[in-house]
Amino acid sequence: MSISRKFLVGLCSFCAAGSLALPVRADLLPHRVVYELDLGKGGTLTGGNGLMTFEIKDVCDGWAMDLKAEIALAGEDGEIHRLGWSQVSWESKDGKRYRYFTRELSDGQETSRRRGEARRDSADGEAKVIADLPQQAEFTLPAGTLFPVQHTVAMIKADTDGAPYLLANLFDGSIDNQAVEVGAALGPGDAKWKPDGKEFGGLKGVRSFPAALAFYMSGSPEGVPDTEQSMRLYANGVVGSLVFALGDLKVHAVMDELTPLAGEGC
């Protein structure tokens, strides 16, 4: 997911190896969640902390998502650097359209913007993407590429079906003009998992499962992933915990707040 927003790829999304029969559905919970970010020590960084929020709303014919993260990093010289990322996106429930706008910041200065829209005739067909940031571009995503909510639903379905491994192409617009190949090893799920931090009554009795994800972006001939994550995903789409790499650091995202959101009147 160099220190960049790569580590956030796939946060809100995750097919059994082979083809997917799309569209697939799941009972997703519209919600807002706040994570405290705890950073260890590594390389020239002595650690730090941060905050990440994620919101997903049911907006009638689609899902509106809002992700924000900020991390304060302390160097060996004691100097503090702040990194920030944000992504606002919308995905149609039929899997045919997806819009995204992402920003990256370093010490309060914007370093990157990406914006575009993907359209296709079917939920699992080729998608044409028209981007206007960072520059105007048009490109095509291969058939079977999943958008973020599709990816989440497919991962939940794979766990329900007892699949031990998942493989998918994911496009969320945050990394270049391409889909990212994501492989995930799924562990056994249960309804009694307890997080390291706070417990939330709304999640009591909800099935969750562990997943170890590998993201392939550069086409390494050795098959080495560009970045990795591990997470605990609930069957309602809530990410209960997340661990990802940030340079030499391993970041632990611990859920601190969870607020269910009412759907919009349609």
Side-chain angles (χ1 to χ4, degrees):
M1 268 182 130
S2 102
I3 295 178
S4 78
R5 200 183 161 274
K6 289 180 182 179
F7 76 84
L8 291 178
V9 171
L11 172 64
C12 55
S13 54
F14 299 92
C15 38
S19 62
L20 282 174
L22 294 176
V24 291
R25 304 183 66 87
D27 188 12
L28 300 182
L29 174 70
H31 65 278
R32 181 179 187 273
V33 60
V34 178
Y35 301 92
E36 290 187 350
L37 303 180
D38 177 43
L39 289 76
K41 298 180 179 180
T44 59
L45 300 173
T46 60
N49 57 69
L51 203 65
M52 180 166 64
T53 63
F54 173 70
E55 185 175 278
I56 178 169
K57 293 181 178 180
D58 184 341
V59 289
C60 301
D61 61 344
W63 298 98
M65 291 164 282
D66 190 345
L67 172 68
K68 294 183 178 69
E70 183 174 287
I71 294 176
L73 297 170
E76 291 180 329
D77 57 1
E79 188 174 355
I80 303 296
H81 296 281
R82 296 185 179 278
L83 302 178
W85 302 265
S86 68
Q87 178 166 2
V88 178
S89 59
W90 175 87
E91 181 177 336
S92 65
K93 290 182 179 178
D94 61 10
K96 296 180 181 180
R97 295 177 62 193
Y98 175 67
R99 297 194 297 264
Y100 61 92
F101 175 52
T102 72
R103 299 174 70 222
E104 297 181 22
L105 299 100
S106 178
D107 293 328
Q109 300 297 312
E110 185 176 88
T111 58
S112 175
R113 281 189 176 193
R114 304 188 66 84
R115 183 172 61 195
E117 180 173 358
R119 292 174 176 262
R120 57 189 173 190
D121 296 329
S122 65
D124 58 353
E126 289 186 347
K128 181 180 180 180
V129 183
I130 299 178
D132 62 353
L133 291 172
Q135 59 267 327
Q136 293 186 341
E138 294 187 15
F139 54 97
T140 301
L141 302 173
T145 298
L146 303 182
F147 299 143
V149 175
Q150 283 184 312
H151 202 189
T152 298
V153 173
M155 191 172 191
I156 294 169
K157 183 179 184 297
D159 169 70
T160 302
D161 292 345
Y165 185 75
L166 302 97
L167 184 64
N169 285 325
L170 166 68
F171 179 77
D172 71 356
S174 64
I175 302 297
D176 300 327
N177 296 338
Q178 64 180 27
V180 176
E181 186 177 68
V182 184
L186 304 182
D190 64 68
K192 297 181 180 180
W193 177 76
K194 293 184 178 181
D196 294 334
K198 298 178 181 179
E199 293 188 46
F200 299 89
L203 296 176
K204 186 175 181 179
V206 179
R207 179 183 173 87
S208 67
F209 57 95
L213 292 90
F215 296 80
Y216 301 89
M217 292 170 271
S218 61
S220 167
E222 294 81 17
V224 177
D226 293 272
T227 190
E228 296 177 281
Q229 295 178 3
S230 61
M231 65 168 54
R232 189 86 188 190
L233 182 63
Y234 284 93
N236 59 8
V238 175
V239 177
S241 67
L242 175 69
V243 178
F244 56 85
L246 181 62
D248 296 326
L249 299 177
K250 185 169 287 188
V251 183
H252 296 254
V254 179
M255 190 161 50
D256 185 61
E257 297 178 21
L258 177 65
T259 305
L261 301 174
E264 293 191 356
C266 301

